[in-house]
Amino acid sequence: MAFSNTYDVTSPGSAVGNREQLLNVLSVLAPEETPMTSLAKKSKATATFVEWTVDSLSAPVTAGIAEGADVSSFTDKFAARGRIGNYIQKFRRDFKVSDLQQAVDSVGPANLAQAEMKAVRELKRDIEATICSDNDRAAEDGAGTAYALRGFGDWIDSAGPADVPSAYRTPASSIHASGLFNEDDLNSLVTSIFRENGMSNRLTLLADTALRRLVSKFTRADTSSNDSTYTVTEPASGKKITFTVSVYESDHGIISIINANPDCMPADVDSGYGRGYLVNPDYLGIAELIPVGSTMLENQGGGERGYVDAACTLIVNHPGAHGKITDITG
């Protein structure tokens, strides 16, 4: 016996009269936070190439000076000074909404203001991903190559970049590039950074998902018969078990651990999610040539359109003040 149904809307019957229910809710499922951009100090750029200088102190001298000895030689105190820099990169996201779409009543809504807002959100993720990248810098050549900034991953390199004097590159001991990453390795990275500046650093570990989970397991397992396990007792009345580490206090500095935007971090050497940056915020900055802004273009009959853009660069005041993790599994 035939009966009415709700799924056949192409043939005559009860289904063609059923009303739709479309909730006035729009969900955007994508990581939006920009923690590296937020960590950096902001400044104003006035040129397409932003430069800064680096210097160091000579090694301590413990020998004494003989009584009555005259000064017979003099030292150039600026002989070791270096000059490094980064190019400005321009970012842009366009948007357009047809005249009919702008006029209708839509969920979300899907109008010009929402399109502009979404473009801004995408632009900020573009900047975050570029800053966190391994990209090298590039100069505009008028033949297809655009200005490009050097990403943080390329700055933190013991073998380069070539334009950075070797004395001011990140030491290899501040980079974990191979082998299983463990708690001792993290302490070694912080110690290496301490040996560069002699300060009890307050660092931030910007960690991708796999690295963050690995660090949260530190001190829970006894990996040696000679080691003791750090144990935390939590009251059962709270009905809560803490399996995360947000602050790690090492021998040579305190590390605040935060989640990186997983869409903006480069893959580790195993194409996984183990990349991490040990950032000293005192030696990190962003110089803005053009702040984030919106420009409307001529409506040629089809609807309103425009773009949002920005131009900025990454300043790594001293590559030796930071560290990097590119492999956690070996």
Side-chain angles (χ1 to χ4, degrees), residues 35 50 68 80-81 104 111 150 194 197 206 232 245 306 315 318:
V50 180
R81 182 168 293 184
V104 300
N111 57 24
R150 173 176 291 144
F194 173 78
N197 61 9
L206 190 70
V232 176
V245 175
I315 297 176
H318 198 312

CSV table of all heavy atoms in Angstrom, one decimal, residues 35 50 68 80-81 104 111 150 194 197 206 232 245 306 315 318:
chain,number,residue,atom,x,y,z
A,35,PRO,N,49.1,33.2,18.1
A,35,PRO,CA,49.9,33.4,19.3
A,35,PRO,C,51.3,34.0,19.0
A,35,PRO,O,51.8,34.8,19.8
A,35,PRO,CB,50.0,32.0,19.9
A,35,PRO,CG,49.7,31.1,18.8
A,35,PRO,CD,48.7,31.8,17.9
A,50,VAL,N,63.9,46.3,6.5
A,50,VAL,CA,64.0,46.8,7.9
A,50,VAL,C,65.3,46.1,8.5
A,50,VAL,O,65.4,44.9,8.4
A,50,VAL,CB,62.8,46.4,8.8
A,50,VAL,CG1,63.0,46.9,10.2
A,50,VAL,CG2,61.5,47.0,8.2
A,68,GLY,N,102.3,50.2,37.1
A,68,GLY,CA,103.0,51.2,36.2
A,68,GLY,C,102.9,50.9,34.8
A,68,GLY,O,103.5,51.7,34.0
A,80,ALA,N,83.0,43.8,16.2
A,80,ALA,CA,82.2,42.6,16.1
A,80,ALA,C,80.7,42.9,15.8
A,80,ALA,O,79.9,42.0,15.6
A,80,ALA,CB,82.2,41.8,17.4
A,81,ARG,N,80.4,44.2,15.6
A,81,ARG,CA,79.0,44.6,15.4
A,81,ARG,C,78.5,44.1,14.0
A,81,ARG,O,79.2,44.2,13.0
A,81,ARG,CB,78.8,46.1,15.5
A,81,ARG,CG,77.4,46.6,15.3
A,81,ARG,CD,77.2,48.0,15.7
A,81,ARG,NE,77.4,48.2,17.2
A,81,ARG,CZ,77.3,49.4,17.8
A,81,ARG,NH1,77.0,50.5,17.1
A,81,ARG,NH2,77.5,49.5,19.1
A,104,VAL,N,19.0,40.1,-0.2
A,104,VAL,CA,18.2,39.1,0.4
A,104,VAL,C,18.4,38.9,1.9
A,104,VAL,O,19.5,39.3,2.4
A,104,VAL,CB,18.4,37.7,-0.3
A,104,VAL,CG1,18.0,37.8,-1.8
A,104,VAL,CG2,19.8,37.2,-0.1
A,111,ASN,N,26.5,38.8,3.9
A,111,ASN,CA,26.4,40.1,3.3
A,111,ASN,C,27.8,40.7,3.3
A,111,ASN,O,28.8,40.1,3.6
A,111,ASN,CB,25.5,41.0,4.1
A,111,ASN,CG,25.9,41.1,5.6
A,111,ASN,OD1,27.1,40.9,6.0
A,111,ASN,ND2,25.0,41.5,6.5
A,150,ARG,N,61.4,36.8,5.9
A,150,ARG,CA,62.0,35.5,6.4
A,150,ARG,C,61.3,35.0,7.6
A,150,ARG,O,61.1,35.8,8.6
A,150,ARG,CB,63.5,35.7,6.7
A,150,ARG,CG,64.2,34.5,7.4
A,150,ARG,CD,65.6,34.7,7.6
A,150,ARG,NE,66.4,34.8,6.4
A,150,ARG,CZ,67.4,35.5,6.1
A,150,ARG,NH1,67.8,36.4,7.0
A,150,ARG,NH2,68.0,35.5,4.9
A,194,PHE,N,70.5,30.1,27.7
A,194,PHE,CA,71.1,30.8,28.8
A,194,PHE,C,72.6,31.1,28.6
A,194,PHE,O,73.0,32.2,29.0
A,194,PHE,CB,70.9,30.0,30.1
A,194,PHE,CG,71.6,30.5,31.3
A,194,PHE,CD1,71.1,31.6,32.0
A,194,PHE,CD2,72.8,30.0,31.7
A,194,PHE,CE1,71.7,32.1,33.2
A,194,PHE,CE2,73.5,30.5,32.8
A,194,PHE,CZ,72.9,31.5,33.6
A,197,ASN,N,72.9,34.4,26.6
A,197,ASN,CA,72.7,35.8,27.1
A,197,ASN,C,72.9,35.9,28.6
A,197,ASN,O,72.8,37.0,29.2
A,197,ASN,CB,71.3,36.3,26.8
A,197,ASN,CG,70.2,35.3,27.3
A,197,ASN,OD1,70.4,34.4,28.1
A,197,ASN,ND2,69.0,35.6,26.9
A,206,LEU,N,56.1,27.7,21.9
A,206,LEU,CA,54.9,27.7,21.0
A,206,LEU,C,55.0,26.3,20.4
A,206,LEU,O,55.8,26.0,19.6
A,206,LEU,CB,55.1,28.7,20.0
A,206,LEU,CG,53.9,29.0,19.0
A,206,LEU,CD1,52.8,29.6,19.8
A,206,LEU,CD2,54.3,29.9,17.9
A,232,VAL,N,51.8,14.2,41.6
A,232,VAL,CA,50.9,15.2,42.1
A,232,VAL,C,49.6,14.5,42.5
A,232,VAL,O,49.1,13.6,41.8
A,232,VAL,CB,50.6,16.2,41.0
A,232,VAL,CG1,49.5,17.2,41.4
A,232,VAL,CG2,51.8,16.9,40.5
A,245,VAL,N,50.7,20.5,31.1
A,245,VAL,CA,51.7,21.3,31.7
A,245,VAL,C,51.7,22.7,31.0
A,245,VAL,O,51.8,22.8,29.8
A,245,VAL,CB,53.1,20.7,31.5
A,245,VAL,CG1,54.2,21.7,32.0
A,245,VAL,CG2,53.2,19.4,32.2
A,306,GLY,N,35.8,44.5,-2.6
A,306,GLY,CA,37.0,45.2,-2.0
A,306,GLY,C,38.0,44.3,-1.6
A,306,GLY,O,38.0,43.1,-2.0
A,315,ILE,N,60.9,40.8,13.0
A,315,ILE,CA,62.2,41.2,13.5
A,315,ILE,C,62.6,40.2,14.6
A,315,ILE,O,62.0,40.0,15.6
A,315,ILE,CB,62.1,42.6,14.2
A,315,ILE,CG1,61.7,43.6,13.1
A,315,ILE,CG2,63.4,43.0,14.9
A,315,ILE,CD1,61.5,45.0,13.7
A,318,HIS,N,67.9,39.0,17.9
A,318,HIS,CA,69.1,38.1,18.0
A,318,HIS,C,68.7,36.7,17.9
A,318,HIS,O,68.0,36.1,18.8
A,318,HIS,CB,69.7,38.4,19.4
A,318,HIS,CG,71.2,37.9,19.4
A,318,HIS,ND1,71.6,36.7,19.0
A,318,HIS,CD2,72.3,38.5,19.8
A,318,HIS,CE1,72.9,36.5,19.1
A,318,HIS,NE2,73.4,37.7,19.6
